[in-house]
Amino acid sequence: MSMEKHAEAGYLPTITAPTAMDSKRQSQNGGHKMVVMVIAASTIIQVITLIGVGWYTSNLLTKVGQGHQSHADLQTATAHSRPGINVYNVKFEEKGDIIPERIEVDVEKRIETVYGNKHHGLDQFVAIQDFKKGIMSFIVPRTKTCYVKTISTALTTEPEALKTQLDQLQNQTWPETTRATEIMVASAPVTDRSVLPAKMAELCKGLPVYWLTPASTSTRRKRQTVEVSICIRYPSTHELTQISPA
Protein backbone atom coordinates (compact mmCIF):
# COMPACT_ATOMS: atom_id res chain seq x y z
CA MET A 1 0.00 0.00 0.00
CA SER A 2 1.36 3.43 -0.87
CA MET A 3 2.15 6.04 1.79
CA GLU A 4 -0.79 8.13 0.62
CA LYS A 5 -3.19 5.21 1.07
CA HIS A 6 -1.74 4.41 4.51
CA ALA A 7 -2.44 7.99 5.48
CA GLU A 8 -5.97 7.79 4.16
CA ALA A 9 -6.49 4.54 6.13
CA GLY A 10 -5.37 6.25 9.29
CA TYR A 11 -2.12 4.34 9.69
CA LEU A 12 0.02 7.45 9.24
CA PRO A 13 -0.64 11.07 10.15
CA THR A 14 -1.46 13.31 7.27
CA ILE A 15 1.49 15.63 6.55
CA THR A 16 0.65 18.99 5.10
CA ALA A 17 3.14 21.43 3.61
CA PRO A 18 4.00 24.38 5.92
CA THR A 19 2.50 27.71 4.98
CA ALA A 20 4.46 30.94 4.68
CA MET A 21 2.97 32.09 8.00
CA ASP A 22 4.16 28.87 9.70
CA SER A 23 7.68 29.41 8.38
CA LYS A 24 7.67 32.99 9.63
CA ARG A 25 6.53 31.89 13.08
CA GLN A 26 9.19 29.19 13.23
CA SER A 27 11.84 31.69 12.17
CA GLN A 28 10.72 34.17 14.83
CA ASN A 29 10.62 31.48 17.51
CA GLY A 30 14.09 30.29 16.51
CA GLY A 31 15.39 33.85 16.63
CA HIS A 32 13.87 34.42 20.08
CA LYS A 33 15.39 31.19 21.37
CA MET A 34 18.79 32.19 20.02
CA VAL A 35 18.61 35.62 21.71
CA VAL A 36 17.61 33.99 25.01
CA MET A 37 20.49 31.51 24.71
CA VAL A 38 23.00 34.28 23.99
CA ILE A 39 21.75 36.38 26.94
CA ALA A 40 21.84 33.33 29.23
CA ALA A 41 25.38 32.44 28.15
CA SER A 42 26.54 36.05 28.63
CA THR A 43 24.97 36.15 32.11
CA ILE A 44 26.63 32.88 33.11
CA ILE A 45 30.03 34.17 31.93
CA GLN A 46 29.57 37.42 33.89
CA VAL A 47 28.57 35.52 37.04
CA ILE A 48 31.57 33.18 36.73
CA THR A 49 33.88 36.17 36.19
CA LEU A 50 32.50 38.02 39.22
CA ILE A 51 32.83 34.90 41.37
CA GLY A 52 36.42 34.43 40.18
CA VAL A 53 37.40 38.06 40.81
CA GLY A 54 35.66 38.02 44.17
CA TRP A 55 37.42 34.83 45.19
CA TYR A 56 40.83 36.16 44.14
CA THR A 57 40.33 39.47 45.98
CA SER A 58 39.01 37.72 49.07
CA ASN A 59 41.88 35.23 49.03
CA LEU A 60 44.42 38.01 48.54
CA LEU A 61 43.11 40.09 51.43
CA THR A 62 42.85 36.99 53.62
CA LYS A 63 46.54 36.31 53.01
CA VAL A 64 47.38 39.91 53.94
CA GLY A 65 45.28 39.66 57.09
CA GLN A 66 46.94 36.40 58.09
CA GLY A 67 50.42 37.78 57.48
CA HIS A 68 51.15 35.16 54.81
CA GLN A 69 51.04 37.48 51.83
CA SER A 70 53.84 36.53 49.46
CA HIS A 71 56.11 39.03 47.78
CA ALA A 72 54.78 37.91 44.38
CA ASP A 73 51.16 38.29 45.54
CA LEU A 74 51.78 41.84 46.69
CA GLN A 75 53.48 42.73 43.42
CA THR A 76 50.57 41.27 41.45
CA ALA A 77 48.05 43.11 43.61
CA THR A 78 49.65 46.48 43.01
CA ALA A 79 50.80 45.93 39.43
CA HIS A 80 49.70 48.36 36.71
CA SER A 81 49.32 47.41 33.08
CA ARG A 82 49.02 50.86 31.59
CA PRO A 83 51.96 52.52 29.82
CA GLY A 84 54.02 55.05 31.73
CA ILE A 85 55.08 52.83 34.64
CA ASN A 86 58.78 52.04 34.64
CA VAL A 87 59.67 48.82 36.45
CA TYR A 88 63.14 48.16 37.89
CA ASN A 89 64.34 44.97 39.56
CA VAL A 90 67.29 46.20 41.57
CA LYS A 91 69.89 44.58 43.83
CA PHE A 92 71.91 46.01 46.70
CA GLU A 93 74.52 44.79 49.14
CA GLU A 94 73.76 44.48 52.83
CA LYS A 95 75.90 42.73 55.43
CA GLY A 96 77.55 40.64 52.76
CA ASP A 97 74.29 39.55 51.13
CA ILE A 98 72.75 40.60 47.82
CA ILE A 99 69.15 41.71 48.40
CA PRO A 100 66.64 42.03 45.52
CA GLU A 101 64.05 44.77 45.46
CA ARG A 102 61.49 46.02 42.96
CA ILE A 103 60.74 49.68 42.26
CA GLU A 104 58.03 51.08 40.00
CA VAL A 105 58.17 54.73 38.93
CA ASP A 106 55.20 56.59 37.46
CA VAL A 107 56.56 59.95 36.38
CA GLU A 108 53.20 61.22 35.09
CA LYS A 109 51.33 60.54 38.35
CA ARG A 110 54.45 61.26 40.43
CA ILE A 111 54.18 57.96 42.29
CA GLU A 112 56.89 55.52 43.37
CA THR A 113 56.10 51.99 44.53
CA VAL A 114 58.69 49.95 46.42
CA TYR A 115 58.44 46.22 47.18
CA GLY A 116 60.71 45.35 50.10
CA ASN A 117 61.75 41.81 51.04
CA LYS A 118 62.06 40.56 54.60
CA HIS A 119 65.72 40.35 55.63
CA HIS A 120 68.13 41.21 58.43
CA GLY A 121 65.41 42.22 60.88
CA LEU A 122 63.44 44.27 58.35
CA ASP A 123 59.82 43.55 57.51
CA GLN A 124 58.40 42.70 54.14
CA PHE A 125 56.34 45.63 52.85
CA VAL A 126 54.88 47.49 49.92
CA ALA A 127 55.24 51.27 50.07
CA ILE A 128 53.74 53.89 47.78
CA GLN A 129 55.14 57.41 47.77
CA ASP A 130 52.64 59.87 46.31
CA PHE A 131 54.51 63.10 45.65
CA LYS A 132 51.39 64.96 44.54
CA LYS A 133 49.77 64.38 47.94
CA GLY A 134 53.06 64.50 49.82
CA ILE A 135 52.42 61.26 51.71
CA MET A 136 53.95 57.81 51.92
CA SER A 137 51.73 54.83 52.74
CA PHE A 138 52.80 51.25 53.29
CA ILE A 139 51.45 47.86 54.30
CA VAL A 140 53.19 45.34 56.54
CA PRO A 141 51.57 41.88 56.23
CA ARG A 142 53.20 40.56 59.41
CA THR A 143 51.34 43.08 61.57
CA LYS A 144 48.20 43.11 59.39
CA THR A 145 48.43 46.91 59.46
CA CYS A 146 48.87 49.86 57.11
CA TYR A 147 50.57 53.16 57.88
CA VAL A 148 50.63 56.68 56.46
CA LYS A 149 53.18 59.43 57.01
CA THR A 150 54.43 62.61 55.44
CA ILE A 151 57.10 62.11 52.78
CA SER A 152 60.59 62.87 54.05
CA THR A 153 61.74 65.12 51.22
CA ALA A 154 65.34 65.16 52.46
CA LEU A 155 65.54 61.35 52.23
CA THR A 156 63.65 60.70 49.00
CA THR A 157 64.34 61.12 45.32
CA GLU A 158 61.50 62.50 43.21
CA PRO A 159 60.17 60.33 40.35
CA GLU A 160 61.85 62.15 37.46
CA ALA A 161 65.27 62.06 39.09
CA LEU A 162 64.78 58.51 40.37
CA LYS A 163 63.92 57.25 36.90
CA THR A 164 67.08 58.84 35.51
CA GLN A 165 69.22 57.25 38.23
CA LEU A 166 67.66 53.81 37.82
CA ASP A 167 68.03 53.94 34.04
CA GLN A 168 71.74 54.58 34.51
CA LEU A 169 72.18 51.85 37.15
CA GLN A 170 70.38 48.99 35.42
CA ASN A 171 71.99 45.57 36.03
CA GLN A 172 74.26 47.05 38.70
CA THR A 173 74.40 46.04 42.36
CA TRP A 174 74.16 49.01 44.69
CA PRO A 175 76.81 49.25 47.40
CA GLU A 176 75.78 49.35 51.04
CA THR A 177 74.87 52.84 52.19
CA THR A 178 74.43 54.35 55.66
CA ARG A 179 70.80 54.43 56.72
CA ALA A 180 69.00 57.56 57.82
CA THR A 181 66.68 56.43 60.62
CA GLU A 182 63.27 57.85 61.49
CA ILE A 183 61.61 56.70 64.72
CA MET A 184 57.84 57.06 64.46
CA VAL A 185 54.76 56.29 66.54
CA ALA A 186 51.26 55.39 65.39
CA SER A 187 49.46 58.47 66.63
CA ALA A 188 45.88 58.04 65.38
CA PRO A 189 43.73 55.92 63.07
CA VAL A 190 43.20 57.24 59.55
CA THR A 191 39.49 58.03 59.24
CA ASP A 192 39.55 59.42 55.70
CA ARG A 193 41.02 56.70 53.50
CA SER A 194 40.83 58.88 50.40
CA VAL A 195 44.38 59.92 51.27
CA LEU A 196 45.52 56.44 50.21
CA PRO A 197 46.43 55.73 46.58
CA ALA A 198 43.88 53.43 44.92
CA LYS A 199 46.09 50.35 45.03
CA MET A 200 47.07 50.87 48.66
CA ALA A 201 43.40 51.40 49.57
CA GLU A 202 42.68 48.04 47.92
CA LEU A 203 45.44 46.27 49.86
CA CYS A 204 44.44 47.90 53.14
CA LYS A 205 40.73 47.12 52.82
CA GLY A 206 39.58 45.63 56.10
CA LEU A 207 42.88 46.41 57.84
CA PRO A 208 43.63 49.20 60.33
CA VAL A 209 45.45 52.27 58.96
CA TYR A 210 47.41 54.62 61.24
CA TRP A 211 49.01 58.02 60.87
CA LEU A 212 52.68 58.04 61.84
CA THR A 213 54.28 61.00 63.55
CA PRO A 214 57.86 61.49 64.77
CA ALA A 215 58.48 60.00 68.18
CA SER A 216 59.10 62.34 71.06
CA THR A 217 62.58 62.93 72.37
CA SER A 218 61.86 60.81 75.45
CA THR A 219 60.68 57.92 73.27
CA ARG A 220 63.86 58.17 71.20
CA ARG A 221 65.96 58.11 74.34
CA LYS A 222 64.15 55.06 75.73
CA ARG A 223 64.64 53.17 72.46
CA GLN A 224 61.64 50.99 73.25
CA THR A 225 60.97 47.76 71.40
CA VAL A 226 60.56 48.37 67.68
CA GLU A 227 57.24 47.04 66.40
CA VAL A 228 57.87 47.58 62.67
CA SER A 229 61.02 48.27 60.70
CA ILE A 230 61.16 48.93 56.95
CA CYS A 231 63.78 50.49 54.72
CA ILE A 232 63.18 52.28 51.42
CA ARG A 233 66.35 52.30 49.37
CA TYR A 234 67.43 54.72 46.70
CA PRO A 235 70.77 54.67 44.91
CA SER A 236 72.16 57.38 47.18
CA THR A 237 70.06 57.14 50.37
CA HIS A 238 68.45 54.48 52.56
CA GLU A 239 65.45 55.65 54.59
CA LEU A 240 64.89 53.38 57.60
CA THR A 241 61.50 53.83 59.27
CA GLN A 242 61.03 52.27 62.69
CA ILE A 243 57.72 52.29 64.54
CA SER A 244 57.87 52.23 68.35
CA PRO A 245 55.00 51.96 70.82
CA ALA A 246 53.45 55.36 71.60
Side-chain angles (χ1 to χ4, degrees):
M1 183 182 293
S2 68
M3 185 171 291
E4 289 81 359
K5 290 182 178 180
H6 275 294
E8 289 174 2
Y11 301 141
L12 292 173
T14 302
I15 301 174
T16 58
T19 64
M21 183 62 72
D22 292 332
S23 298
K24 183 176 181 181
R25 286 184 185 139
Q26 291 177 0
S27 176
Q28 289 176 341
N29 290 337
H32 290 158
K33 289 180 181 178
M34 181 62 70
V35 170
V36 171
M37 290 174 65
V38 170
I39 293 174
S42 176
T43 301
I44 291 172
I45 291 172
Q46 290 178 6
V47 169
I48 292 174
T49 301
L50 288 174
I51 291 173
V53 172
W55 176 87
Y56 174 77
T57 303
S58 175
N59 186 54
L60 181 63
L61 293 174
T62 298
K63 287 181 180 180
V64 173
Q66 293 175 344
H68 299 309
Q69 180 80 337
S70 73
H71 193 223
D73 281 340
L74 287 174
Q75 288 188 16
T76 301
T78 56
H80 295 69
S81 58
R82 71 175 185 80
I85 300 217
N86 302 276
V87 179
Y88 303 91
N89 293 305
V90 303
K91 295 178 293 183
F92 55 88
E93 294 181 11
E94 185 173 295
K95 298 180 180 179
D97 294 328
I98 303 299
I99 311 297
E101 191 168 84
R102 176 181 171 125
I103 300 176
E104 295 176 0
V105 182
D106 187 334
V107 174
E108 179 184 347
K109 289 192 173 183
R110 294 181 55 72
I111 287 177
E112 300 167 0
T113 305
V114 180
Y115 303 87
N117 282 311
K118 179 180 179 180
H119 67 283
H120 297 159
L122 297 175
D123 283 295
Q124 178 199 8
F125 69 92
V126 173
I128 299 180
Q129 305 229 62
D130 187 333
F131 284 81
K132 285 186 176 180
K133 293 182 177 180
I135 65 167
M136 188 263 272
S137 55
F138 62 95
I139 177 173
V140 179
R142 179 182 63 80
T143 62
K144 312 172 191 177
T145 310
C146 299
Y147 305 92
V148 180
K149 74 181 190 70
T150 303
I151 285 179
S152 304
T153 55
L155 301 176
T156 57
T157 304
E158 296 204 4
E160 298 86 350
L162 180 60
K163 179 182 180 301
T164 299
Q165 291 180 5
L166 295 177
D167 284 340
Q168 295 172 349
L169 294 172
Q170 288 195 53
N171 302 319
Q172 295 186 32
T173 300
W174 303 352
E176 190 161 1
T177 303
T178 303
R179 298 172 178 174
T181 303
E182 286 188 317
I183 301 175
M184 314 292 286
V185 294
S187 57
V190 173
T191 55
D192 181 8
R193 297 199 175 203
S194 65
V195 300
L196 296 173
K199 288 299 177 181
M200 186 59 67
E202 180 182 340
L203 282 175
C204 296
K205 186 177 180 180
L207 299 178
V209 184
Y210 292 98
W211 280 107
L212 296 179
T213 55
S216 65
T217 303
S218 60
T219 299
R220 291 194 187 97
R221 285 175 182 163
K222 291 177 184 177
R223 298 293 294 180
Q224 295 178 337
T225 303
V226 174
E227 294 180 339
V228 172
S229 188
I230 71 166
C231 189
I232 294 182
R233 293 171 174 82
Y234 292 97
S236 56
T237 61
H238 289 182
E239 179 188 356
L240 176 65
T241 299
Q242 295 183 327
I243 303 175
S244 293

